[in-house]
Amino acid sequence: MLEPHGANAGAGQDPSLRPVADLAHELAVDLDTGLSAEEAARRLAADGRNELRATPPVPLWRKILAQFRDPLVYLLLVAVVVSLIAWAVEGMRGLPIDATVIAAVVTLNGVLGFVQESKAENAVAALQSMTAATSTVMRDGVLVTVPSAELVRGDVLVLSEGEAVGADARLFRASALRVQESSLTGESESVTKGVATLTAEAPLGDRLDMVFKGTAVAQGTGRALVTDTGMSTQMGAIAEMLDATEDEVTPLQREIAAVSKLLGFTVIVIAVVVMVVTALVNQVTTLGDFVTVLLLGVSLAVAAVPEGLPAILSVVLAIGVQRMARRNAVVKELQSVETLGSASVIASDKTGTLTKNEMTIERVITASGAVRLTGVGYRPEGRALVDGKELTDPALTREVSMVIGGGALANDAQLAEHDGEWQIQGDPTEAAFLVAAHKVGTVEQVRSFQRRGDIPFTSERKMMSVLVDPEGAGERALVTKGAPDVLLERCTHRQLGDEIVPLGDDGRASALADVEELSQQAYRTLGVAYRRIAAGTSVEDLTGAEKDLVYVGVVGIIDPPRPEVAQAIADAHRAGVRVMMITGDHPTTAVRIAEDLGIVDEGARAVTGAGLDQLDSADLRDLTRQVSVYARVAPQNKLQIVDGLQADGHVVAMTGDGVNDAPALKSADIGVAMGTGTDVTKEAANLILGDDNFSTIVAAVRQGRVIFDNIKKFLRYLLSSNMGEVFTVFFGVVLAGLLGLTGASDDAVVVPLLATQILWINLVTDSGPALAMGVDPEVDDVMARPPRQLTERIIDRRMWTGILSIGLVMAMATLITIDIFLPGGMIAGNDSLEVARTAGFTTLVLAQLFNALNSRSETTTAFHRIFVNRWLWGALGLGATLQVAVVELPPLQAAFGTASMDLAHWGVAVAMASSVLWFDELRKLLWRASVARDARR
C-alpha cells in the first residue's frame, strides 16, 4: 500500500515523479476498470473518509470566560473583594455601592467583548465544507458518482470541465485538460496538465502530471489515479499548518497588559502608603478610626484604578468596528482595529488582491502595427488605441478584428451578465478574447460563424483549432489559436490589411520579435492564424490540416492591477508602511505588476520560494529587509516571510484570498481576507474586506491610528485625573496641619475628601468624557507619520511626566481651594470644614473636566478644533450639571457630605480648576517652541 506522503514527504514518495504503472501496481488497481465496490469500501474503512480534521468548537463557557482574561480585570475584581471586606467591617450598612459599580463595569466589559467578537475559529472545518462535493469514479468497470468524502487511494478519478477535483491524483489520461489552481498556489492562470512523468521535484504549481483536492477543472477531460486523501493531501498539509500556527497577541493587548500590571503594583503601594501615613499622622487607636482609614485606602485604590478602562476600551474598539463596517471591512476581533494602525508592513497576495483575477487582453500586435485595448476585467467596455488615439487605420483595424475574432472563435469559454456583473465560465484566458471582441466590435461577426468541429488543445501541440462556416461563403475556415512560436512554424503567409502576403523569414523574425517584446513586459502571449478549407470538409478530414496557415497577429494578456490600488500603495508609503507582494505567479509577471503599482522601483528583483528554502533565519531577516517581491512561493514560504518580518520587529498585515494564504494570515499580526476569497481564508483572518478593495486596507490603517490616538487620549485623561485624586488625598493627609484641616474637626481622622466623594468623582468624570474622547475625530494627519514601533510604549516617559504633572496641579488647586475657605492654614478663611471640603471637591471635579480638553492632544493646543466633538461637550455639560446637583440638592448633600455654596465659592472653584488648562497650554507652547527651535538648527 502506498504510504501517505503529504507536504513533508521525501522526493522518492512524490507520485509526480513515479510512472503511473508503478503506482497502479502498488495500489493494486486496474486503470481500465477501477476498484471494486467491495475493495473501495474496505479501504474507506481502513484509511478513513476523505475529509480534513476539524478543530473542535470552543465551548460557550470558555468563550465567556475568555472575555475576563485581562490583568486589569483581575485588579478590578480584587478591588471588588476589598470593597466588600471594608463594607462588612463597617457593619454592612446600606448597599456596597463601590463594589457593585466596579462589578457592573467588569460585567459590561465582558458582554461587549462577547457580543462583538466573532465565533471561534474553525478554519479546517471551513476547508471541509469547501470541498464537500461529489466525484465521478470508475468502479467495477462502470462510471459512478460518489461523495468526494468517500474517495479512497486507488480510485480512478474521471475529470471533466467545471468539476471540482476531489482528491490528490496522478494523471494518466488528459485531453486539453486545464485546471484552475489559484486557490491552492496563488497563480492566476489555469494550468495545462499532461501525463508525462516529471523528472525532478517541482513546486506545487509546476507538478503538471498531478491534480489536487480543492482545485477545479477549467477545460478538457482527464482520468487520474487517486494517490492521497484527507489530511494526506496538499490541502491537508495546509490544514496541518493552520493547526500548528499560534494566534499572535496584538500590540494593544501587550500594552494594556503592561499598563495593568504597573497600575496594580502602583495601586497597592499607594493604598498602603496612604493608610500608613494617615494612621500615623492622626494617631489612630480605635476600631472606628481604623475602619475609616481602611475605607479611605480602598476608596483611593478604586480611584487610582481606571475601572472604566476595559469597558471604554471595548466600546471605543467596537465603534471602530462599526466605522470599518461602513467602509466594507468586517473586523472579527476588536483588538484587530488598533493593530492595523500599528502595521509597518502589508504583505499582499497578488492574484485577486492587487490584481482583479480577470485575465485581460491589453495589447494586439499585427503586421500593420500595435494596438492597446483599454478597460480591465470581464466588463466588456473599452477602446482600441494607437499611441493614445482612436484606431482609424483600415488595414490595422481589419487585422485587429481578425485576431480578436479568431481568438473568440477558437474558444470554449462563455461570457454573460448576471445582476449587473459580468461573469465567465471556462478558461479565463479564452474569456479574455470574448471580452475583447466586444471592445473592437466583432461580436456580431463572430456570431455569424457556425462551428462545425474542433481539434482540442493539447500540451504537446500547444494550440487548438476550430472548423467554422463563414456566413454566406462557399468555403470553410480553420481558425487556430496557440503559442505564437509554435504557430509561426506552421504559417507560410500573413495577413496585411485585406491581403494575404508571404510570411518569409523577415516576417517570421518580425513576428517573433513582437512576441519577445510582449513577454519581456510580462504578458502571456497567444497567436492567431487561419486557413481556408474546402466546402464540405469535416473535422475527420482535418488530420494534418494545421499547416500552411495565415498568421494574423499576437495578443498580450495579463491579470491587470486594480485601478485604485496604486494610489492606496502611495498612501501607505506616505504613512511609512511598506507594501510587499507575495504570489505563486511567475517572477517576471510579479515584478511587472509590482513596478506598475509602485511597490518597487524599476529593475527590482523577485525571490522565488526555492530561494527562500535555502536560507536560515538570519539570512531570511536580511532578505526581507531588501526584497519586496516574492514569486512561485508555497504556503510554508509565506509563513517564512511573515516570521522573518516579525523577527525583525515588524507588525505584519498579511492579505490574501486563497486557501494557500490561510496559514500566513493566521500567523501574521493581522490577517486580511478578501470577501470573495475562500471560507478558509476568512476563518483564519482577523479582517475581511467586503469589497476586495486594497484601498480599504489603507483606510483601516488610518482608522487604526485614529483609534490608537484616541486610546492615548482617554488613558492620558483617566490616569492624570486619577493621579489628581491620589495626590489630593496623600498630600491632604501629610499637610493636614499646614492646610488647617487638623483643627477644623473634632474627629481623630480628618481627610480632604470623603470616600463617597472619591467614588462620586469616578462615576461623574471618568466614563463619560473618556468615552467621548474615544470617538474624537482625527485632529492631525495621522498618515503623515511613521508606524508606531513595537518598542514604543503606549504610555511613554513624556506621557507619564504629563500625567504626573497634571495630577500634581489638580491636587495643588484642590488643596489651595480648601485652604482658602478654612479658618486655619496658610490662607485665613471663615467657612466650615463641610463648605471648604465641598469647594475643594468641586474644584477637583471641574479640574478633571478641564483636563478632558487638555487630553485631546499631547502637543496641540486644546483650542484647536475645540468644538468638533459634540459628544465630549455633552459629557462635560452632564458632568458639570451633576456636580451642581450633588452640591445643591439636600438628598445628595446628605449622601455625599456636601454643603451649598454661593456664587463666590463657585467662582473660586471654577478659577482654580481652570489652572489645569492654563498649565498644560503653557507646557505645550514650550514644547512646540523647542521643536521649532530644533528644526531651524
Side-chain angles (χ1 to χ4, degrees):
M1 180 80 57
L2 184 69
E3 293 301 319
H5 54 72
N8 298 320
Q13 296 175 298
D14 188 342
S16 67
L17 304 174
R18 304 182 63 184
V20 175
D22 290 354
L23 293 171
H25 175 73
E26 194 167 326
L27 287 164
V29 61
D30 186 320
L31 296 179
D32 293 325
T33 60
L35 297 171
S36 66
E38 292 78 11
E39 177 61 17
R42 188 192 68 78
R43 296 187 184 191
L44 182 63
D47 296 343
R49 293 171 64 84
N50 178 33
E51 294 175 336
L52 302 179
R53 185 171 57 247
T55 303
V58 178
L60 179 64
W61 67 269
R62 291 190 63 181
K63 293 181 186 178
I64 295 174
L65 192 62
Q67 306 304 321
F68 301 95
R69 290 181 186 167
D70 183 279
L72 189 55
V73 173
Y74 300 155
L75 187 62
L76 292 174
L77 292 175
V78 170
V80 170
V81 173
V82 173
S83 298
L84 287 173
I85 292 173
W87 174 67
V89 170
E90 206 176 19
M92 297 186 183
R93 292 194 298 271
L95 294 173
I97 299 298
D98 46 349
T100 303
V101 169
I102 298 172
V105 168
V106 171
T107 303
L108 175 63
N109 173 63
V111 170
L112 282 169
F114 181 77
V115 170
Q116 286 291 335
E117 290 187 2
S118 64
K119 61 183 179 180
E121 287 183 274
N122 201 353
V124 181
L127 276 166
Q128 186 176 8
S129 64
M130 174 184 171
T131 54
T134 59
S135 298
T136 303
V137 295
M138 180 71 72
R139 286 184 182 172
D140 293 315
V142 179
L143 290 178
V144 295
T145 300
V146 301
S148 296
E150 296 180 7
L151 290 175
V152 297
R153 289 189 300 168
D155 260 329
V156 173
L157 197 59
V158 180
L159 305 171
S160 59
E161 186 171 317
E163 292 185 351
V165 179
D168 288 6
R170 173 71 159 82
L171 286 164
F172 63 87
R173 190 179 301 171
S175 176
L177 183 64
R178 296 178 66 81
V179 178
Q180 181 57 255
E181 298 181 339
S182 62
S183 66
L184 193 63
T185 66
E187 182 153 5
S188 54
E189 297 178 12
S190 55
V191 181
T192 302
K193 296 291 186 175
V195 300
T197 304
L198 300 186
T199 58
E201 188 173 357
L204 200 61
D206 294 332
R207 298 179 194 176
L208 304 182
D209 59 347
M210 295 288 297
V211 290
F212 301 104
K213 180 181 177 73
T215 61
V217 179
Q219 180 184 5
T221 60
R223 293 195 178 189
L225 177 62
V226 174
T227 58
D228 287 287
T229 60
M231 293 300 291
S232 295
T233 62
Q234 293 297 327
M235 192 168 285
I238 293 177
E240 291 281 9
M241 280 193 285
L242 278 173
D243 286 344
T245 303
E246 296 183 0
D247 293 328
E248 291 291 320
V249 178
T250 69
L252 181 61
Q253 288 172 322
R254 287 193 292 265
E255 289 287 343
I256 295 300
V259 170
S260 299
K261 291 176 182 177
L262 178 62
L263 283 176
F265 175 77
T266 304
V267 164
I268 293 172
V269 171
I270 287 174
V272 171
V273 169
V274 168
M275 285 191 291
V276 170
V277 169
T278 304
L280 292 176
V281 169
N282 293 278
Q283 298 180 352
V284 172
T285 56
T286 66
L287 179 61
D289 291 341
F290 176 78
V291 169
T292 301
V293 172
L294 178 62
L295 186 59
L296 177 67
V298 171
S299 301
L300 197 57
V302 172
V305 177
E307 64 271 7
L309 178 57
I312 292 169
L313 190 61
S314 295
V315 170
V316 169
L317 292 175
I319 291 172
V321 167
Q322 294 170 0
R323 286 179 176 175
M324 290 309 304
R326 290 195 289 269
R327 294 292 304 266
N328 295 310
V330 179
V331 180
K332 294 173 60 181
E333 297 176 354
L334 295 180
Q335 307 286 349
S336 302
V337 182
E338 184 277 332
T339 308
L340 258 176
S342 305
S344 56
V345 175
I346 300 176
S348 176
D349 181 40
K350 179 184 76 69
T351 305
T353 307
L354 298 174
T355 65
K356 292 181 68 67
N357 196 19
E358 298 177 358
M359 302 302 289
T360 303
I361 294 176
E362 285 190 351
R363 300 286 303 279
V364 184
I365 302 181
T366 67
S368 297
V371 171
R372 180 176 294 276
L373 298 183
T374 64
V376 295
Y378 296 141
R379 181 167 292 278
E381 298 173 356
R383 299 180 298 161
L385 303 178
V386 179
D387 297 328
K389 300 178 181 178
E390 293 286 344
L391 171 62
T392 56
D393 180 76
L396 185 55
T397 301
R398 168 72 171 163
E399 293 162 15
V400 169
S401 297
M402 292 183 70
V403 171
I404 299 301
L409 284 169
N411 204 302
D412 292 320
Q414 296 180 25
L415 174 70
E417 185 179 15
H418 298 284
D419 299 326
E421 294 292 329
W422 288 86
Q423 300 175 358
I424 69 159
Q425 287 185 337
D427 186 84
T429 301
E430 292 198 333
F433 278 98
L434 303 182
V435 176
H438 284 271
K439 296 178 182 179
V440 300
T442 62
V443 174
E444 294 304 321
Q445 181 183 355
V446 170
R447 290 173 179 168
S448 69
F449 285 79
Q450 296 294 319
R451 184 166 171 172
R452 299 303 182 187
D454 62 71
I455 306 174
F457 177 92
T458 65
S459 57
E460 292 78 19
R461 290 170 45 252
K462 295 185 178 180
M463 66 177 69
M464 75 169 291
S465 298
V466 292
L467 181 65
V468 296
D469 272 339
E471 188 176 50
E475 58 184 355
R476 292 181 169 178
L478 183 72
V479 181
T480 304
K481 177 190 73 193
D485 54 339
V486 175
L487 203 60
L488 281 164
E489 292 177 358
R490 298 170 182 256
C491 294
T492 57
H493 293 74
R494 65 174 173 172
Q495 192 76 30
L496 186 62
D498 291 326
E499 299 181 5
I500 297 175
V501 300
L503 180 61
D505 292 339
D506 291 343
R508 183 174 284 104
S510 175
L512 288 172
D514 294 337
V515 174
E516 179 64 21
E517 177 188 346
L518 292 176
S519 297
Q520 289 180 352
Q521 296 174 24
Y523 287 106
R524 183 187 178 194
T525 57
L526 282 177
V528 175
Y530 75 98
R531 64 171 290 189
R532 293 186 173 92
I533 301 288
T537 303
S538 67
V539 69
E540 290 78 14
D541 301 325
L542 292 180
T543 303
E546 293 172 317
K547 63 181 180 179
D548 300 328
L549 300 174
V550 178
Y551 182 75
V552 184
V554 63
V555 299
I557 308 173
I558 199 165
D559 180 14
R562 293 177 176 271
E564 71 280 355
V565 168
Q567 182 58 53
I569 289 174
D571 291 342
H573 287 167
R574 185 174 72 89
V577 179
R578 180 184 174 194
V579 179
M580 302 173 66
M581 178 193 290
I582 306 176
T583 178
D585 228 331
H586 192 278
T588 304
T589 304
V591 171
R592 153 72 193 280
I593 297 294
E595 289 176 350
D596 288 350
L597 292 174
I599 293 175
V600 296
D601 296 327
E602 188 173 348
R605 68 183 177 114
V607 174
T608 64
L612 289 171
D613 290 335
Q614 310 302 317
L615 302 178
D616 59 24
S617 57
D619 291 337
L620 182 63
R621 284 199 303 273
D622 291 339
L623 182 71
T624 54
R625 293 170 186 163
Q626 304 168 22
V627 178
S628 294
V629 180
Y630 299 86
R632 287 283 192 251
V633 295
Q636 63 268 25
N637 298 135
K638 296 187 178 186
L639 276 173
Q640 281 180 284
I641 295 168
V642 171
D643 291 343
L645 290 167
Q646 289 174 331
D648 206 25
H650 288 288
V651 176
V652 182
M654 171 74 186
T655 75
D657 61 351
V659 176
N660 61 315
D661 298 321
L665 262 62
K666 187 173 181 181
S667 179
D669 295 283
I670 181 163
V672 184
M674 300 297 111
T676 55
T678 61
D679 288 341
V680 188
T681 313
K682 294 175 188 176
E683 287 290 344
N686 310 100
L687 178 72
I688 301 171
L689 302 183
D691 57 359
D692 288 7
N693 192 332
F694 188 87
S695 63
T696 304
I697 301 173
V698 179
V701 171
R702 177 184 292 275
Q703 182 65 34
R705 292 188 177 190
V706 170
I707 286 176
F708 181 76
D709 277 4
N710 288 348
I711 290 172
K712 290 194 72 170
K713 290 176 187 178
F714 69 67
L715 277 175
R716 187 183 302 117
Y717 169 73
L718 288 174
L719 295 178
S720 58
S721 296
N722 289 359
M723 285 300 102
E725 297 169 37
V726 170
F727 288 146
T728 296
V729 174
F730 180 76
F731 289 113
V733 171
V734 173
L735 304 176
L738 187 63
L739 297 171
L741 283 169
T742 304
S745 172
D746 295 331
D747 294 335
V749 178
V750 182
V751 291
L753 296 175
L754 300 177
T756 53
Q757 292 174 347
I758 293 174
L759 294 175
W760 171 266
I761 294 172
N762 278 9
L763 290 174
V764 170
T765 66
D766 270 15
S767 299
L771 186 56
M773 276 186 284
V775 296
D776 207 30
E778 181 180 348
V779 176
D780 302 314
D781 185 2
V782 297
M783 299 297 278
R785 64 178 187 239
R788 182 169 66 94
Q789 298 295 317
L790 283 176
T791 54
E792 181 183 339
R793 313 307 302 176
I794 192 169
I795 307 178
D796 55 21
R797 180 176 298 178
R798 189 174 73 182
M799 186 168 167
W800 273 120
T801 302
I803 288 170
L804 295 175
S805 62
I806 290 294
L808 283 170
V809 172
M810 279 188 194
M812 289 172 60
T814 301
L815 295 176
I816 290 173
T817 302
I818 293 174
D819 187 26
I820 288 174
F821 296 111
L822 280 177
M826 297 180 293
I827 304 172
N830 55 10
D831 287 294
S832 66
L833 175 61
E834 288 71 23
V835 172
R837 183 183 278 149
T838 300
F841 169 43
T842 302
T843 298
L844 184 55
V845 169
L846 297 180
Q848 294 194 10
L849 298 182
F850 276 115
N851 188 38
L853 299 176
N854 290 339
S855 300
R856 293 182 64 232
S857 173
E858 197 169 17
T859 58
T860 303
T861 173
F863 299 99
H864 177 63
R865 302 186 68 192
I866 190 171
F867 297 111
V868 74
N869 189 344
R870 66 179 186 275
W871 296 106
L872 179 59
W873 283 102
L876 297 181
L878 178 62
T881 301
L882 290 174
Q883 184 60 25
V884 171
V886 79
V887 170
E888 302 298 339
L889 296 181
L892 293 178
Q893 289 175 344
F896 291 94
T898 59
S900 295
M901 298 192 303
D902 58 24
L903 287 179
H905 288 74
W906 278 102
V908 171
V910 171
M912 294 300 293
S914 70
S915 62
V916 172
L917 175 64
W918 306 124
F919 169 82
D920 207 44
E921 283 296 297
L922 178 61
R923 182 190 62 80
K924 292 176 183 178
L925 179 64
L926 294 175
W927 184 88
R928 292 195 299 270
S930 174
V931 171
R933 192 164 52 250
D934 292 341
R936 288 194 297 268
R937 291 176 180 172

